Amino acid sequence: CCCYFYFFTEKERGREREREWAYEAELLTVPDGWKEPVFSKDDNPRGLLEESSFATLFPKYREAYLKECWPLVQKALNEHHVSATLDLIEGSMTVCTTKKTFDPYIIIRARDLIKLLARSVAFEQAVRILQDDVACDIIKIGSLVRNKERFVKRRQRLIGPKASTLKALELLTNCYIMVQGNTVSAIGPFNGLKEVRKVVLDTMKNIHPIYNIKTLMIKRELAKDSELRTQSWERFLPQFKHKNVNKRKEPKKKTVKKEYTPFPPPQPESQIDKELASGEYFLKANQKKRQKMEAIKAKQAEALSKRQEERNKAFIPPKEKPLVKPKEASTESKLDVAAIKEKVKKAKGKKLGALTAEEVKLKMEADEKKKKRKK
């Protein structure tokens, strides 16, 4: 009876949990087409208490472009009551709130705008950051790879041939992506920026972007199905296995471990022991000297003979290949010599561009007929 009661209560608890999860899922799901209401002056009629400002430096090569588009930047920021100044001497851009500013978050968006302009993003794309449903992310990739050549290769892999990989990533995430120097700037919705950051960091960790692009394409198709929105998508996503190929080269000389023996190795013989065994120990000083000189001369003679052999190698003629006799022509493929001779005689009788004897006669007859007709 106790077991049955325990089982029944556990079952009831499970059902309660499922109801709670279903209710939470309903609360978390955002209805299609819903947009956050725009922050207006009525929400903050008194404005801000204090002025706040942000400044950022820009590289020398951006000076000419910023000088051209700065009136447009000021115009876009003035609509939100934010002042902007460009200092060409210090090479900096500054944004500052005014007394009319009512949106407290607009200064953060203005700061992101000047940051994007400094990172070589075009004004047409950077100005989108002032919209409520658009955010930006500047990913620093310079310190992720130590080797400079490897860093350049991986950065180029992110861009792809003719920027095809970058275009595919932009279409899947609805973000504008700009790769410049040691940073990657992205502008778009929050979900897209999250995916862009993941792809960029994985690429710098030597994971090819094509794997992440395939996953994003599958997720995009699954999101269209309303039934699959609340389910796990892991069974649909591809599982890529990482292969760690060991590129360690094997050493030329491999040390083979000797079998273990409890006995120590025999003591090596000393120089005196070797001399006693050979009998050199009992020789006189002049005899030892003469013996050394004879050994040196023998070595020199051996080296000289080897050197002479190497020099003589240049004078040894190479082995010639045996001559192959030409095969006799078959009777079928023999040429008709008599016919060729007749052709040559006829050709000698002719001049280049000259007419044959028969052609000359025919021409003369034709000329005579023409003369008679004229008469």
Side-chain angles (χ1 to χ4, degrees), residues 178-212:
M178 178 73 184
V179 181
Q180 175 68 24
N182 294 331
T183 56
V184 178
S185 306
I187 307 161
F190 292 98
N191 292 335
L193 292 174
K194 192 179 175 183
E195 294 294 341
V196 169
R197 178 171 273 275
K198 186 181 178 295
V199 173
V200 170
L201 294 176
D202 282 355
T203 306
M204 300 317 286
K205 288 175 187 173
N206 203 19
I207 298 167
H208 205 281
I210 194 68
Y211 300 132
N212 286 309

Side-chain angles (χ1 to χ4, degrees), residues 313-347:
K313 277 180 185 177
F315 299 103
I316 297 166
K319 288 182 181 179
E320 293 181 0
K321 292 180 181 179
L323 289 167
V324 181
K325 290 181 180 179
K327 291 180 181 178
E328 292 181 1
S330 59
T331 52
E332 292 177 1
S333 63
K334 278 185 178 179
L335 297 167
D336 192 357
V337 179
I340 291 166
K341 281 182 179 178
E342 284 180 9
K343 280 183 181 179
V344 171
K345 281 180 182 178
K346 284 178 182 179

Side-chain angles (χ1 to χ4, degrees), residues 53-84:
S53 62
F54 289 101
T56 186
L57 298 170
F58 59 85
K60 186 77 176 175
Y61 65 87
R62 290 291 288 169
E63 189 177 318
Y65 180 78
L66 290 171
K67 206 173 178 180
E68 284 179 14
C69 72
W70 196 250
L72 297 169
V73 175
Q74 284 180 325
K75 189 182 177 182
L77 291 172
N78 283 338
E79 289 175 8
H80 300 276
H81 308 289
V82 176
S83 65

Side-chain angles (χ1 to χ4, degrees), residues 32 36 41 89 220 283 335 337 344 347 352 372 375:
D32 295 330
E36 195 176 345
K41 198 170 184 179
I89 297 162
R220 193 179 186 181
L283 294 173
L335 297 167
V337 179
V344 171
L352 288 169
K372 282 177 183 179
K375 288 177 181 178

Side-chain angles (χ1 to χ4, degrees), residues 156-189:
Q156 187 58 38
R157 195 181 295 164
L158 178 66
I159 297 163
K162 295 180 182 179
S164 57
T165 310
L166 211 62
K167 283 173 189 174
L169 202 61
E170 283 179 352
L171 289 168
L172 289 166
T173 57
N174 296 323
C175 293
Y176 171 79
I177 305 163
M178 178 73 184
V179 181
Q180 175 68 24
N182 294 331
T183 56
V184 178
S185 306
I187 307 161

